[in-house]
Amino acid sequence: MPPPHGVRWKWAPAARAESVGSTAEFDLIERIRRRAATRDDVVLGIGDDAAILQPPPGQQLVVAMDTLNTGVHFPEETAPADIGWKALAVNLSDLAAMGAMPAWCTLSLSLPHSDAAWVDAFLDGFLGLAQMHGVALVGGDTTRGPLSVSVTVHGFVAPGLALRRDAARVGDEVWVSGTVGDAAGALAQWTSGQPVASGLRDRLDRPTPRVALGRALVGLVHACIDISDGLAADLAHVAQASGVSIDVHAPALPASEALVKAFDVPRRMHLQATGGDDYELCFTAPGASRAALVRIASEMAIPLTSIGTVTAATAQLRLLDAAGRPWVPSRAGYEHFSG
Ligand code: ADP
Ligand code: MG
């Protein structure tokens, strides 16, 4: 295909990933195809060169992709079913943060060996979560290489109603769902060789994407983001994208009982402010939405906690302590518990 006029284009032979081996690859794909559910809007799913999908008329298509690499995004000894669950969960969380309704996904698997038992266990987690959200696996790719899982998810939102990072406004209240710091707490215990508290372990291995909550927030809240890199880092993105100043009252950050039990206050606050992988939603909303948010929290049985305010039109994020003084999570505290 010639390049569009005026676009610089350099042809290079495709660096095609080595196949797992044709028979083995076919077997694995066939295992996946047999188990993948479908939906009415999948015109053609796994098996052809590409899938054919029918988006609902008048909706915007929302697309997200996330990759998990072994040893980077999950410890090497993670159970395959947990890897499968998490690979889809982190993607569904991105759609949740946009307020989108998930529909389809694709899966690129890089595997060191053609291991049918591993793929079956992986699918237990992956397809189990897909089924809970009515998401159809419509295609993908299977290659040999270091263990790595890439997933793309597709969802829908009414035109103009997606929850974006750049929509926070001065005067908004800042909210977070659930509790924060649990996944980082689990990881800290794991990497320091301690037994991992069960209440924390599940949050790391099997995060709950807040899909229904994200949908319910559409029209009520301004900016929204999911917490993958840590509350402070992710809210800083909102502050930057929206050009606003956000003050977070650090002592207000919601903590689970398990986290409170496992760590002293300084360590816990550090985990809550900076720990990633919680996949909670963090959003800013006008005061007029408060009553509706309280109702949603009770109806969905998901705690929603007000943790701060959007104060001014200058892009910055400040964490404040109990006395309202700027608080910087200490790196020393972090190293203390991770080492
Ligand atoms: P091609 O060489 O045309 O890309 P592949 O052999 O890679 O074909 O894939 C055959 C079919 O299987 C395609 O429909 C593809 O989307 C699907 N597929 C391959 N790997 C996966 C996977 N890991 N998960 C879901 N579908 C897959
Ligand atoms: Mg392919």
Side-chain angles (χ1 to χ4, degrees):
M1 185 180 68
H5 182 71
V7 173
R8 279 154 56 84
W9 180 285
K10 184 163 175 287
W11 184 86
R16 219 187 129 79
E18 189 191 349
S19 153
V20 167
S22 53
T23 313
E25 179 189 353
F26 178 80
D27 280 353
L28 292 182
I29 295 172
E30 186 52 26
R31 287 185 109 78
I32 296 170
R33 192 194 61 76
R34 276 204 308 265
R35 290 184 59 183
T38 186
R39 342 183 332 150
D40 289 349
D41 52 9
V42 178
V43 181
L44 188 59
I46 297 172
D48 211 311
D49 292 313
I52 306 175
L53 308 167
Q54 183 60 63
Q59 295 276 296
Q60 288 180 333
L61 189 60
V62 184
V63 180
M65 178 182 213
D66 255 328
T67 299
L68 300 186
N69 290 328
T70 186
V72 180
H73 301 99
F74 55 89
E76 261 159 57
E77 61 271 32
T78 306
D82 290 338
I83 297 171
W85 174 286
K86 191 161 180 177
L88 183 58
V90 302
N91 278 279
L92 291 178
S93 177
D94 282 326
L95 289 193
M98 303 300 289
M101 174 72 131
W104 313 306
C105 65
T106 57
L107 165 67
S108 175
L109 269 180
S110 163
L111 302 171
H113 317 284
S114 169
D115 183 342
W118 191 95
V119 169
D120 285 343
F122 173 90
L123 291 175
D124 290 343
F126 188 94
L127 295 178
L129 182 61
Q131 191 186 12
M132 288 171 66
H133 291 278
V135 170
L137 174 61
V138 298
D141 201 17
T142 307
T143 58
R144 189 200 294 270
L147 179 58
S148 171
V149 185
S150 284
V151 175
T152 308
V153 284
H154 310 76
F156 316 125
V157 74
L161 292 189
L163 307 175
R164 300 161 51 132
R165 296 178 181 194
D166 61 4
R169 296 190 207 151
V170 175
D172 280 355
E173 230 176 324
V174 182
W175 297 76
V176 71
S177 66
T179 59
V180 288
D182 296 330
L187 195 61
Q189 290 181 327
W190 194 337
T191 53
S192 66
Q194 286 171 259
V196 181
S198 61
L200 303 181
R201 178 71 179 254
D202 276 2
R203 293 293 309 276
L204 180 66
D205 288 340
R206 298 243 165 181
T208 307
R210 299 293 196 186
V211 174
L213 175 62
R215 305 265 309 137
L217 297 181
V218 170
L220 275 181
V221 312
H222 289 152
C224 184
I225 197 165
D226 69 320
I227 303 181
S228 53
D229 296 337
L231 181 127
D234 289 320
L235 263 186
H237 294 318
V238 173
Q240 193 67 43
S242 300
V244 296
S245 182
I246 296 178
D247 280 357
V248 170
H249 187 55
L253 297 179
S256 68
E257 274 177 39
L259 194 73
V260 169
K261 228 167 117 187
F263 296 92
D264 63 25
V265 174
R267 293 178 193 179
R268 171 166 64 74
M269 279 181 55
H270 187 284
L271 290 167
Q272 290 180 276
T274 67
D277 266 2
D278 285 317
Y279 301 101
E280 293 294 351
L281 297 184
C282 196
F283 51 93
T284 78
S289 293
R290 181 170 248 278
L293 292 172
V294 170
R295 195 171 56 243
I296 286 170
S298 125
E299 279 170 9
M300 293 189 167
I302 300 172
L304 296 180
T305 309
S306 170
I307 58 167
T309 46
V310 180
T311 58
T314 50
Q316 67 160 345
L317 174 80
R318 291 196 309 168
L319 296 165
L320 306 176
D321 67 12
R325 288 178 306 240
W327 173 71
V328 179
S330 83
R331 185 70 203 162
Y334 177 76
E335 277 159 3
H336 183 57
F337 69 70
S338 71

